[in-house]
């Protein structure tokens, strides 16, 4: 067994208590015997790590080790033996003992608390850790409006269980929902989590870019020429929209706040001719065209 606890934990001699604790947790995660069953070399390594941590996490033991009074096992060195002998019974204050046993470490506590770091909960990024293969993964398809507006939805898992899940407002394609404790059981009898991947059906009227909604609305050429006020459907219900005089086909109008989570809806106009051109309309257009030489294909200077 190596004799230097600082080297074992991979820290400098002036490492802080927090650095020592962090180094121990990282090594314990890697070498804990419960996570490496049947590997004797791992058990030896783990004992070495915990012995080093047992010494360095105790301020008095660490100071005594640094002075050379005790070794890594907590036993008096030759130097300390002569000091004890010279000072008599009171020298017991220099005597340190290490239990030599594996500390009782709760893996859930060790890894759960440690990985609640700046990156968030470790389980969120590594859901299978400490659960074996107990996590289960499913996919469901939801309607466009369910994804846009959110809400509750009943789903039936392959094992026959019916669950009520909450669809967050504005959830995006391919995102996963985590149902804690709704997976299978691992070898330790713990329930894993169920992960549900969301797929969103297309909509015949709406499309989406981020949280903005896009749609196309047909208007009559008379509405384009004269201007008009029409009703336009949104994911929140129909609203009135004003078409300005002379609006062109392809023009985009914005309905503020009518998208997802307060985003906008953009309405593209499409001018549609009437199904039949009667004589009255034809006569009016002829009269107008005789008076005006407008050509939309002519390059404007």
């Amino acid at each position: 067994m190596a004799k230097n606890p600082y080297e074992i934990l991979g820290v400098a001699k002036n490492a802080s208590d927090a650095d020592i604790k962090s180094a121990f947790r990282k090594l314990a995660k890697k070498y804990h015997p419960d996570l490496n069953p049947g590997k004797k070399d791992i058990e030896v390594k783990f004992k070495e790590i915990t012995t080093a941590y047992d010494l360095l996490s105790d301020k008095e033991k660490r100071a005594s080790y640094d002075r050379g009074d005790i070794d890594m096992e907590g036993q008096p060195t030759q130097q300390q033996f002569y000091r004890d002998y010279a000072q008599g019974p009171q020298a017991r204050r220099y005597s340190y003992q290490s239990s030599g046993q594996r500390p009782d470490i709760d893996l859930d506590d060790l890894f759960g608390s440690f990985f609640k770091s700046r990156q968030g909960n470790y389980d969120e990024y590594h859901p299978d850790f400490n659960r074996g293969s107990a996590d289960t993964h499913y996919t469901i398809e939801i309607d466009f409006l369910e994804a846009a507006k959110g809400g509750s939805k009943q789903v039936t898992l392959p094992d026959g269980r019916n669950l009520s899940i909450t669809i967050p407002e504005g959830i995006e394609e391919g995102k996963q929902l985590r149902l804690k404790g709704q997976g299978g059981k691992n070898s330790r009898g713990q329930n894993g989590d169920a992960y549900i991947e969301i797929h969103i059906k297309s909509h015949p009227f709406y499309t989406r870019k981020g949280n903005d909604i896009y749609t196309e609305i047909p208007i009559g050429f008379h509405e384009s020429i004269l201007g008009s006020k029409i009703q336009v459907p949104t994911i929140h219900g129909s609203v009135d929209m004003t078409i300005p005089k002379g609006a062109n086909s392809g023009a985009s109008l914005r309905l503020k706040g009518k998208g997802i989570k307060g985003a906008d809806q953009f309405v593209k106009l499409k001018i549609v001719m009437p199904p039949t051109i009667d004589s009255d309309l034809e006569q009016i257009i002829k009269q107008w065209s005789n008076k005006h030489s407008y050509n939309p294909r002519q390059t404007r200077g």
Side-chain angles (χ1 to χ4, degrees), residues 5 13 21 23 55 58 67 73 81-82 109 114 133 139 143 163 173 177-178 181 196 226 239 251 274 282:
K13 192 171 182 180
K21 186 175 183 179
L55 187 146
D58 186 304
R67 290 194 304 267
E73 300 293 333
F81 172 79
Y82 287 117
D109 175 68
F114 176 64
S133 59
T139 61
D143 292 333
L163 296 178
E173 171 70 20
L177 300 178
R178 175 188 175 193
I196 299 181
L226 302 175
V239 298
E282 185 175 358

Side-chain angles (χ1 to χ4, degrees), residues 130-147:
N130 208 27
R131 295 193 185 91
S133 59
D135 290 342
T136 51
H137 298 263
Y138 309 102
T139 61
I140 63 169
E141 194 173 46
I142 63 175
D143 292 333
F144 183 95
L145 292 180
E146 286 180 313

